[in-house]
Each structure stands twice: as C-alpha cells, then as structure tokens.
Amino acid sequence: MNVPVAVVGAAHVKSERRTVEAENRMVLRAVRAAMQAAGVTKDDVGFTCSGSGDYLAGGTFAFVANLEAVGAWPPIAESHVEMDGAWALYEAWTLLQEGEVDVALVYGSGKSSPGDIATVYPLMLDPYFLTPLGLDPVSLAALQARALLESGRATERDFAEVVARNRANAIGNPNAQVSGKFDVDELLRADYVRDPLRRHDLPPISDGACAVVLATADKAAQLAERPAWITGIAHRIDVHQPGFRDLTVSPSTTAAAEAAGIGDGPVEVAELMAPFSFQELILRDAIGLDDSVDINPSGGALAANPIMATGLIRIAEAANQVTHHGKARTLAHVTGGLDLQQNLVTILGSERP
Amino acid sequence: MAHQPCAIVGVGQTHHKTRRWDVSLGGLVREAAQRALDDAEMTWKDIDAVVIGKAPDLFEGVMKPELYLSDALGAAGKPVFRVHTAGSVGGTTGIVAAHHVESGRHKRVLAVAYQKQSEGNAQFALGSGRGFSIGAGGAFAPFMRSYMYRTGAPAEIGPMVAVKDRKNALKNPYAHLKIEDISLEKVMASPMMWDPVRFLESCPSSDGACAVVFTDKEGGEAAAKAGRQPAWILGSAVRSEPSQFPGRDPVAPQGAADCAADVYQQAGITNPLEQIDCAELYVPFSWYEPMWLEGHHIAEFGEGWKMVERGDTEIGGRFPVNMSGGVLSSNPIGASGLLRFSEAALQVRGMAGEHQVEGANVAIAQAYGASAQYFSMWVVANSLDPFGK
C-alpha cells in the first residue's frame, strides 16, 4: 500500500508582466509563505524539488541561483526538473511514497519578461523540421483552434465565453494579473492576433513563483487541520509532431485523468491549465467534466501565466479548495509543451486515502 | 527501509565521438536506448515510463528537448520525465528513474541521458551568451590548486591519473579518446590549460548517450534466473549545497561527504575501502580522482593521492577507479553521470569486458555538477545481500 501524501501548505506570489525582482527573491517569498502556511521550518524538510527553465532565464544552470531561496546549508537532498513545478511535485510525491521522508518542499518559478517568447518558444519544437519554420506558440495554437472550430465542437463565441468567465473569476484572486468583467460581444469585436485567436484568447506574459509543502500520513494530519490529500496523480505525453495527431483532442490528458482516478467519482472544482482559451474546451472533453464542475475559480492560466509555475499553481489552487473552501474532491490539470502535448492530472480530496 | 528493491537489467551506450554527425539528437538517444533494451531482452512496448536527463538546453539550442525526443523513444502515451541538475544530472536521472520503481509506481522504467556537444558551443553557453565564461576547467582549477597546496600532493599525481584513465579507455570500445601512445611524459608535455591542469588531464567534448533499464524485484529475479545477472541498487542519494558562501569548502564539499555517508548507510557499508570493489567517480579533470577518494570517505583527507601514487586505483589495484576510462575519456556532459552509474552496474554484472574488475561484487558511482555543489551517488551489487547481513 502506498503512503498517503497531502498538500499541507501552498503559496504563490502575485504574477506580474515585468518585475525587476530576481527570480530567487520571488521563490524566497513563495517558499517562506508556503512553509509558514504548513507550519514547518527548513529542518523539517527531507526533500526539495524545483521546476524552472534555463531558456526563460536566458542562461545555463538558472536553477542553481534559486537554491539560495531554500538555504541549502547544511547540504540538502534536492533535485530539479526542467519542467513545470507540477512535475517537481510529482517527483517529490514519488519519493514520499517510499515512506523514508515525511515532508517535502516543492517550487516552480519563471520569469518570461527578460526574453522574447515568440523567439524562444520555437526552440521547444523538433529542431530539424519545425524550429526552422519559426513556428511560434501563438501560430501553433491558432492551428489547433482552427481545427477545433472546423470539428464543429466549438465556436469563437465559446472561446470568448471561456475568457469572460475566467477573467471574472480572477477578480477575487489577489495573485491574478488579468481580471475584470468583460462582455462577450465586446470581446468578439476585437481584431485577430492570429486568426481565429484574438488577444484575449492568449495568456498574459508573467513573472511568478509558487511553492507547495507536501507531507505524509500522520505528519500531514498533524500539520494541517484539513490536508488536501493527493488521491491520484499521473502524467502522459502525446506525439510531438503536430501533424501526426488530432489537435482537437487530448488523449494524454484522458489517460492521465483515468490513471489519477477520475472514474472513482465526480469532482466539484477543476483547475485546468489552458493557456489559450479554447484549450479549456478540449480539456473539459478530455477529462469528461460536465457543467456542474466549477472550472478555474482562480481565473486559470488566462489570469496569470508564470511559465514553470503555472501548473504548480493549479495544484495549489485545487488544494486550497479542499483545505479552505470545504470541497471534498478537486482536480488540477497541468500542461507542458505546445498545443497540449504533455499533461499531468492530480486529484485531491478531503478524505485520507 | 520501506522502498522496494530495484534492479538494473539493461545498459546501453553510444560510441562517443567529437561529432556524431551521422545521427540526429533522436537518433543518438535511440541508439543507446535500443542497446539497453536489447541487453534487457525487452522491446519499447515493455517500458512503462521514460526519464530523460541532460545538462543545459543551451548546449544544443533545443528547449525542453524531451518533448521532441519522446517520439524517438517510443514514449507517446507514456509518462516522460525530464531531469536537470547540472553535471550531476546523469546520475540523478538514474536515481529518479530508480525511485519510479522503488516507490512501486512502475515496473519497468527507461532512463536516457545524453549530450550532443557538437551541436553548439558549451563554453559560449556556460557564459549564457555574455562572453565571460571561464569554462568548467577555469572554475575548478583553483579548487585543484588548493587541494595540492593543502595536501602537499606531488605535481605528477594529476598526470598519473590521466595516464591511468587513458589506458583504461583503450579497453573500452565505446570510449571517445583513444591515445595509444599515452605516457606520463606525453601528459606532462601537453599544453597547460588552467594551471594546474594540462590539456591531456582534461575531459573532451563529446557527443553521446547512455541508457539504463530498471525493473522491480520480480523482474530482477527473472533476469537472474534466465542467466542475465542484474545489478541491484543498494542505496542512492543526492545532495546540493550553495555555490558560494564563506562556510563552504569546495575542495572537500560537505554535500559530497553527506551524500556518500547516506548511501553507505543505506547499503550497510562501514568500511568503504574494504567493502567496495571498484568505483566510477566523476573526474573531468585529473586531480578530481584523489579529491573524490577523500571526499567520499574512501581515503582520509590528504591520503587519496597516495592511493594514486601506489597504483591502487588501476584495474588490478586495491581499489580500481574509472575502469571505463571515465569522464577524462568520454564526456557527453548530460550522459557522463549515467555512464558512471551504468559502468558500476556493468562491473557487478560481470559484463565490463576487457575493463572488468575481477570479482567485482559491489561498486559505487558518483557524479557532481555546477560549482562542485550538486552530488549524486549510488551503490550497486550483484546481490541484495552482498555482505551476508
């Protein structure tokens, strides 16, 4: 039997379009707040894992400087993934399963402001056949959106409705970067950035950081009044070449959700990482979420998108719904790569598994 | 110990070269992975999850290359995980993959680590494109110089390590550098790069990949029953410490010592020198061999260089180190750690060919990175109970 693991503290800093604050300072603020929320100190933490990206920072070993934020002295057991912090959480969760460590600290951070995303992101594609095309993430997302429209499963109005709801939800989120009441008809009158996507269909460009404290079994129960137990977590990847897959569906999300136990019962809240508005529609279908599910009460990635932390924030928000809002079962989805290539699903609950 | 046993049943690597222009990045990792699968008598379909490790993405100019490499590694529909912990990444990749089995999460996991240095310019990338990189040799030279000063080690110890590793490389069909006429004189006569390190005391820039197949107790026992000796992981650990602060000693880092103490404790090793039969240590510059012998409790501080001088670390010596030729002979950076870890596995499986240490039952492997501040280590053996506990 696996060791039960729960989120016992989480925090993230307010996302901003451009901050002069160093990344490790942002991490420091998030880590301190998460550890305070969990009621743990550095001495309690048995394993630390982080997610960040060298290409965002425009340097090699960018994560090394972030170590300063966790005070790695005496030396700590620590690891790093060149992925969203949600996968760092997955690594920590895996280790906690072995029962030899009872508290783990996870963080994800990224500053998109120093570079030009349209130049950097094509480097995330097949370097021989795709990167030379200069295929930027917005164009690639537009191809996906076009395919979805042509499948007849959604309209541009549906896209705008996703935006209006997320931005309205974000009004109550102090860490959001974009929020407010927007009229769908008004949104639809905007020009295309890349047909069929309008500016509001795109995520904001953000600097930000998130930290989460995990604990096992009795330790979690002791630290938190109402821990958010991870009842399932899984991730899968799809074929890379966009031409080799049906862009209107997300089989890796479906498989991850099934492996995480979506079939065991309904969820009340889902935090979906849909950086582009229409992707939320694909994800809802992929996971099988009906209209009764509250989607993105935080405003989602359309409200704040600090790459490498956006996904971990989804898990933190879903955990927050259990711990502070009385929800019994919530879901967090995280994506990586372009056009939803890689996906991770976490299901959290109030009942100790 | 609550975790489940984990066995290594497949190891593969590429032929390491300055330029592998005959293969793409995908072709490179697939070559190593296919060899590991063949060794394990498995196919792509048998693999439950893939863990990919490499050093900075800026080295090849591909951001998060695991997204693209997943196709070449038959990973569509599976979990793909990407590790990056500087130079220690190859080792950490193996450890993360092992945890996927030890936690009971997966039954068969493939770890792949690589670097294709010819695709870019590591020296340029290390300076983050700002042009002031002193390179790894420049960063480590003061630590080596300090080691010499503090221990009084004779100047020829570094060159002796270089000669030994280069001779070992002649026995390894996959090694990059093969210098047939290697000699102490030749090393000493090579140009000084970063005093005290000469050209022939430095690692090359290589294209290469390494892959390892991990499985659970049942899988390991089945392989053993079929006559394919597995390597059992007796302990693994990682440690990190800050790059700079006045309390840190980069010559004998606390992180390295703690990491070693942790794995020895897990493996039941109380006398490393006696209980361990051979070691693959991350030695990109000659002087790191005595430094790590001391840094990992194999020798007392100031005694490691004497082991080198006595020939203890040669194949056939009391404590053979870097039988494969080590990082000094092949350095596809991201893969270099996993190459150390897989050579340790090959040794205890008795499959190291001409560079086999006779009667190797227990081996350690180590990797380090960044400013000598990231450490990963494991202990492997040919049984789960080599010391008859």
Side-chain angles (χ1 to χ4, degrees), chain A residues 165-317:
Chain A
R165 179 176 38 75
N166 275 283
R167 287 183 173 184
N169 285 353
I171 293 172
N173 177 359
N175 296 318
Q177 193 178 328
V178 183
S179 62
K181 294 252 181 242
F182 290 85
D183 176 62
V184 170
D185 291 314
E186 191 69 31
L187 290 175
L188 285 170
R189 276 195 285 276
D191 288 337
Y192 293 121
V193 175
R194 299 279 194 291
D195 187 349
L197 298 179
R198 298 174 172 87
R199 192 174 159 76
H200 58 250
D201 292 310
L202 278 48
I205 295 169
S206 312
D207 293 355
C210 177
V212 169
V213 178
L214 299 176
T216 56
D218 292 348
K219 185 74 178 177
Q222 170 202 329
L223 288 170
E225 209 168 292
R226 193 175 156 89
W229 297 99
I230 296 172
T231 61
I233 182 167
H235 65 100
R236 297 285 187 275
I237 200 163
D238 283 317
V239 169
H240 178 68
Q241 290 281 348
F244 289 176
R245 60 186 168 108
D246 179 351
L247 295 175
T248 69
V249 293
S250 182
S252 59
T253 300
T254 305
E258 281 169 6
I262 188 67
D264 297 343
V267 296
E268 297 157 88
V269 174
E271 281 281 341
L272 306 180
M273 182 173 163
F276 294 91
S277 61
F278 68 89
Q279 290 173 337
E280 186 183 295
L281 305 169
I282 295 174
L283 293 170
R284 288 176 78 133
D285 283 353
I287 301 169
L289 299 172
D290 63 29
D291 291 342
S292 70
V293 181
D294 186 4
I295 308 274
N296 291 350
S298 70
L302 289 169
N305 189 32
I307 307 289
M308 300 298 181
T310 311
L312 187 59
I313 290 172
R314 303 278 74 72
I315 298 174
E317 293 284 5

Side-chain angles (χ1 to χ4, degrees), chain B residues 6-263:
Chain B
C6 178
I8 293 154
V9 292
V11 168
Q13 61 184 295
T14 59
H15 290 280
H16 312 295
K17 287 192 165 63
T18 305
R19 292 180 190 84
R20 283 294 308 268
W21 284 355
D22 57 319
V23 286
S24 62
L25 293 176
L28 189 77
V29 294
R30 200 176 161 89
E31 184 177 310
Q34 185 65 60
R35 288 201 176 108
L37 289 173
D38 290 347
D39 183 13
E41 294 190 3
M42 288 185 195
T43 69
W44 299 96
K45 282 186 179 155
D46 295 318
I47 298 300
D48 300 327
V50 179
V51 180
I52 299 175
K54 73 179 296 291
D57 291 357
L58 276 78
F59 283 6
E60 290 92 351
V62 185
M63 181 182 185
K64 290 170 63 57
E66 68 280 4
L67 295 164
Y68 139 74
L69 291 173
S70 57
D71 290 6
L73 293 171
K78 296 176 185 176
V80 167
F81 202 86
R82 163 69 195 285
V83 181
H84 177 17
T85 60
S88 67
V89 65
T92 313
T93 302
I95 291 173
V96 170
H99 280 305
H100 278 75
V101 172
E102 289 167 339
S103 64
R105 183 65 169 167
H106 296 297
K107 191 169 166 61
R108 289 172 296 263
V109 177
L110 174 69
V112 185
Y114 77 98
Q115 204 85 50
K116 203 161 189 291
Q117 290 215 56
S118 69
E119 299 277 334
N121 183 325
Q123 187 86 352
F124 175 82
L126 284 171
S128 299
R130 292 186 285 268
F132 53 69
S133 171
I134 51 171
F140 296 136
F143 305 161
M144 294 183 264
R145 172 61 67 191
S146 176
Y147 171 80
M148 295 170 74
Y149 176 77
R150 283 160 62 179
T151 62
E156 60 275 15
I157 294 296
M160 286 177 76
V161 171
V163 171
K164 187 255 307 170
D165 281 6
R166 303 205 178 294
K167 279 187 173 162
N168 287 351
L170 295 173
K171 300 175 177 174
N172 180 356
Y174 295 104
H176 174 180
L177 292 183
K178 305 260 193 182
I179 307 172
E180 301 280 350
D181 62 340
I182 194 71
S183 67
L184 200 59
E185 295 70 31
K186 192 176 166 90
V187 174
M188 300 284 268
S190 67
M192 188 62 82
M193 297 289 284
W194 304 273
D195 194 346
V197 180
R198 295 172 183 81
F199 181 72
L200 286 176
E201 292 177 82
S202 307
C203 55
S205 289
S206 314
D207 288 359
C210 180
V212 176
V213 177
F214 298 84
T215 190
D216 60 5
K217 187 162 190 246
E218 195 188 0
E221 284 170 349
K225 208 172 168 189
R228 288 176 292 114
Q229 171 71 49
W232 296 97
I233 299 174
L234 297 188
S236 69
V238 292
R239 284 296 185 280
S240 311
E241 65 181 58
S243 312
Q244 294 178 351
F245 90 106
R248 166 176 137 84
D249 180 2
V251 176
Q254 188 64 44
D258 290 357
C259 195
D262 191 347
V263 290

Side-chain angles (χ1 to χ4, degrees), chain A:
Chain A
M1 178 59 198
N2 288 338
V3 176
V5 175
V7 173
V8 294
H12 47 111
V13 303
K14 180 175 165 52
S15 289
E16 293 185 56
R17 171 63 185 86
R18 185 174 283 107
T19 167
V20 294
E21 188 180 28
E23 187 169 318
N24 55 10
R25 296 277 305 186
M26 291 196 306
V27 173
L28 178 65
R29 288 197 283 131
V31 162
R32 278 191 173 165
M35 287 173 64
Q36 195 174 8
V40 298
T41 69
K42 194 161 74 70
D43 297 337
D44 298 312
V45 176
F47 183 67
T48 302
C49 198
S50 65
S52 68
D54 274 356
Y55 258 103
L56 290 179
T60 43
F61 307 127
F63 60 93
V64 175
N66 290 340
L67 256 191
E68 306 293 335
V70 294
W73 192 266
I76 59 172
E78 188 258 358
S79 193
H80 172 262
V81 298
E82 195 82 355
M83 308 175 89
D84 189 289
W87 275 272
L89 182 140
Y90 183 89
E91 182 177 334
W93 173 85
T94 303
L95 192 83
L96 290 170
Q97 296 293 294
E98 296 170 26
E100 285 149 37
V101 168
D102 60 1
V103 177
L105 170 66
V106 175
Y107 59 92
S109 59
K111 288 183 66 165
S112 292
S113 65
D116 173 22
I117 282 177
T119 307
V120 171
Y121 274 31
L123 299 174
M124 226 195 293
L125 295 163
D126 178 325
Y128 306 99
F129 294 104
L130 294 172
T131 299
L133 301 176
L135 192 56
D136 68 279
V138 181
S139 300
L140 205 51
L143 287 172
Q144 188 175 29
R146 175 57 62 197
L148 183 64
L149 291 175
E150 288 183 359
S151 75
R153 282 160 44 214
T155 63
E156 290 179 40
R157 175 167 288 273
D158 294 331
F159 298 0
E161 279 171 0
V162 167
V163 174
R165 179 176 38 75
N166 275 283
R167 287 183 173 184
N169 285 353
I171 293 172
N173 177 359
N175 296 318
Q177 193 178 328
V178 183
S179 62
K181 294 252 181 242
F182 290 85
D183 176 62
V184 170
D185 291 314
E186 191 69 31
L187 290 175
L188 285 170
R189 276 195 285 276
D191 288 337
Y192 293 121
V193 175
R194 299 279 194 291
D195 187 349
L197 298 179
R198 298 174 172 87
R199 192 174 159 76
H200 58 250
D201 292 310
L202 278 48
I205 295 169
S206 312
D207 293 355
C210 177
V212 169
V213 178
L214 299 176
T216 56
D218 292 348
K219 185 74 178 177
Q222 170 202 329
L223 288 170
E225 209 168 292
R226 193 175 156 89
W229 297 99
I230 296 172
T231 61
I233 182 167
H235 65 100
R236 297 285 187 275
I237 200 163
D238 283 317
V239 169
H240 178 68
Q241 290 281 348
F244 289 176
R245 60 186 168 108
D246 179 351
L247 295 175
T248 69
V249 293
S250 182
S252 59
T253 300
T254 305
E258 281 169 6
I262 188 67
D264 297 343
V267 296
E268 297 157 88
V269 174
E271 281 281 341
L272 306 180
M273 182 173 163
F276 294 91
S277 61
F278 68 89
Q279 290 173 337
E280 186 183 295
L281 305 169
I282 295 174
L283 293 170
R284 288 176 78 133
D285 283 353
I287 301 169
L289 299 172
D290 63 29
D291 291 342
S292 70
V293 181
D294 186 4
I295 308 274
N296 291 350
S298 70
L302 289 169
N305 189 32
I307 307 289
M308 300 298 181
T310 311
L312 187 59
I313 290 172
R314 303 278 74 72
I315 298 174
E317 293 284 5
N320 183 47
Q321 289 290 333
V322 172
T323 300
H324 298 295
H325 297 277
K327 298 292 190 292
R329 191 166 147 90
T330 65
L331 178 146
H333 158 272
V334 181
T335 197
L338 300 174
D339 280 5
L340 304 174
Q341 190 196 343
Q342 188 173 24
N343 296 282
L344 180 147
V345 173
T346 309
I347 296 177
L348 300 116
S350 57
E351 293 285 318
R352 180 167 163 171

